[in-house]
């Protein structure tokens, strides 16, 4: 097993100054992080932890942190190990991470940071406004976002009538593929999905896209694909495919388009959920949040290399144009 578990423990003083905690000066709170992707775990470490410190939760002083990071196949074991640390709260970076924790505990508070699938549809919460259980946090509603990516790609490259979808094999991305197919059908596009969950499998996926005669590529939302943006950008360009991904960074990495939530701003919000739970607020009483700030990037260097002229309607909406 190539599981990577990093454990950082801290001892210290009072957490989150308040009357409720005024006498608990020797309290050390335990936070566990579970993620099937190193990129998500690193974002949590570099973005969420500093925000927690601003709220009085200081790693190495009054906060003991364990990080449980591995691939999807290792999630159940990672979750078992995480629950064994008896955390006061768990940060889970995906729906799969949340479900893995729930396999081992129905009591530990869980903060999604963030999850792609709708937590209500998938049964993780009763509603966004009143989750009702032990799960709260952030959802980027990736299924809806992936459908929008198909529409944006069609607008940017109206000549593309045959669209490839890059997705992680089932059970992940089943709902996203369904939504992307629904959008493609509404736009009169032909689509076909190709699966790859790691860089070693990308080559065969792109070979299949060529055989399909793809004229565009919509990449489903996944932390692995954000991590591998440079690789995917190169492969898409070599295949002559205008492509769109879930993050503006993916356009900087070489895709034609990148659209999705402001990942840093969205991640920061997770710290507030953790702090409120450690203050004693039940997770089921904390509304689940969706992103309010989005980033849209267009790579004109890639467009030129592909011989594509980006419509003005796309350019005027872009937050960043890479020239």
């Amino acid at each position: 097993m190539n599981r990577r578990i990093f454990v950082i423990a801290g001892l210290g003083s009072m957490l989150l100054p308040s009357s409720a905690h005024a006498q608990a000066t020797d309290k050390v709170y335990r936070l566990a992080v579970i993620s099937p992707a190193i990129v998500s775990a690193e974002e949590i470490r570099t973005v969420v932890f500093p925000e927690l410190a601003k709220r009085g939760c200081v790693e190495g002083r009054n906060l003991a942190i364990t990080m449980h990071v591995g691939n999807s196949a290792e999630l159940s074991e990672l979750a078992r190990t995480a629950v064994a640390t008896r955390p006061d709260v768990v940060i889970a970076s995906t729906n799969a991470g949340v479900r893995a924790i729930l396999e081992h505990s129905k009591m530990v508070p869980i903060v999604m940071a963030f999850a792609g699938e709708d937590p209500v549809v998938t049964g993780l919460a009763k509603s966004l406004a009143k989750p009702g259980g032990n799960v709260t946090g952030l959802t980027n509603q990736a299924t809806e976002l992936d459908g929008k990516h198909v529409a944006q790609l069609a607008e940017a490259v109206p000549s593309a009538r045959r669209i490839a979808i890059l997705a992680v094999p089932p059970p992940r991305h089943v709902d996203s593929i369904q939504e992307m197919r629904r959008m493609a059908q509404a736009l009169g596009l032909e689509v076909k999905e190709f699966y790859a969950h790691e860089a070693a499998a990308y080559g065969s996926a792109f070979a299949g896209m060529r055989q399909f005669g793809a004229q565009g590529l919509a990449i489903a939302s996944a932390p692995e694909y954000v991590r591998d943006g440079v690789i995917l950008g190169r492969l898409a360009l070599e295949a002559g495919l205008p492509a769109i991904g879930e993050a503006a960074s993916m356009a900087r990495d070489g895709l034609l388009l990148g659209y999705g939530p402001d990942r840093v701003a969205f991640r920061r919000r997770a710290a507030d959920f953790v702090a409120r739970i450690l203050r004693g607020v039940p997770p089921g009483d904390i509304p689940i949040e969706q992103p309010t700030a989005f980033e849209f990037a267009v790579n004109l260097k890639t467009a030129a290399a592909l011989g594509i002229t980006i419509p003005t309607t796309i350019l005027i909406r872009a937050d960043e144009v890479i020239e």
Side-chain angles (χ1 to χ4, degrees):
M1 180 180 294
N2 66 348
R3 183 179 70 212
R4 297 166 293 277
I5 300 179
F6 308 96
V7 180
I8 304 96
L11 298 174
S13 58
M14 184 172 62
L15 170 74
L16 299 172
S18 70
S19 58
H21 292 81
Q23 297 178 353
T25 57
D26 60 344
K27 175 71 173 179
V28 177
Y29 290 85
R30 294 183 294 270
L31 170 66
V33 177
I34 182 169
S35 174
I38 292 177
V39 63
S40 296
E42 286 303 307
E43 285 183 354
I44 290 169
R45 171 168 293 286
T46 58
V47 176
V48 179
F49 291 178
E51 290 297 313
L52 279 171
K54 294 177 184 178
R55 291 161 171 80
C57 313
V58 182
E59 181 184 2
R61 191 180 78 197
N62 56 7
L63 191 63
I65 300 174
T66 59
M67 299 195 70
H68 310 264
V69 185
N71 60 43
S72 297
E74 299 166 339
L75 273 179
S76 182
E77 175 63 15
L78 292 170
R80 185 194 64 78
T81 306
V83 170
T85 68
R86 299 174 62 191
D88 295 289
V89 62
V90 174
I91 295 178
S93 68
T94 63
N95 291 74
V98 174
R99 287 191 289 268
I101 293 294
L102 290 173
E103 287 178 11
H104 298 277
S105 174
K106 298 295 192 296
M107 300 299 294
V108 61
I110 302 171
V111 173
M112 302 180 296
F114 38 82
E117 300 167 4
D118 189 319
V120 177
V121 172
T122 55
L124 299 178
K126 293 180 180 178
S127 70
L128 296 182
K130 189 77 169 178
N134 63 320
V135 179
T136 185
L138 307 160
T139 174
N140 67 350
Q141 302 290 55
T143 299
E144 298 175 14
L145 188 66
D146 286 337
K148 186 169 185 176
H149 286 153
V150 173
Q152 289 172 317
L153 182 62
E155 182 182 359
V157 192
S159 61
R161 311 308 300 168
R162 184 173 290 183
I163 305 298
I165 296 171
L166 181 63
V168 177
R172 289 176 62 187
H173 284 153
V174 171
D175 291 338
S176 283
I177 290 173
Q178 182 178 355
E179 177 62 18
M180 295 166 91
R181 282 188 164 278
R182 185 198 65 78
M183 181 62 73
Q185 183 177 14
L187 295 171
L189 305 176
E190 182 181 355
V191 295
K192 184 175 182 179
E193 57 268 20
F194 299 87
Y195 296 107
H197 68 286
E198 58 185 1
Y202 293 157
S204 60
F206 275 86
M209 294 176 199
R210 292 189 183 94
Q211 187 174 8
F212 170 60
Q215 299 166 308
L217 169 62
I219 300 174
S221 299
E224 300 96 316
Y225 296 155
V226 177
R227 175 198 65 199
D228 294 339
V230 172
I231 299 172
L232 293 171
R234 174 177 56 80
L235 289 171
L237 189 60
E238 290 175 355
L241 291 175
I244 184 169
E246 69 166 301
S249 65
M250 298 180 78
R252 300 182 201 113
D253 288 339
L255 298 188
L256 181 66
L257 305 171
Y259 177 82
D262 181 332
R263 295 177 66 87
V264 173
F266 203 37
R267 290 271 191 213
R268 286 193 185 115
R269 291 292 305 138
D272 187 62
F273 286 85
V274 173
R276 291 171 70 184
I277 289 170
L278 294 181
R279 288 192 184 104
V281 181
D285 292 343
I286 305 175
I288 294 170
E289 295 183 7
Q290 298 173 272
T292 57
F294 292 82
E295 297 178 309
F296 188 22
V298 179
N299 192 322
L300 289 185
K301 292 190 295 184
T302 297
L306 293 170
I308 292 171
T309 300
I310 301 296
T312 303
T313 56
I314 291 287
L315 294 176
I316 61 177
R317 298 202 307 271
D319 300 292
E320 180 180 3
V321 176
I322 302 158
E323 300 184 86

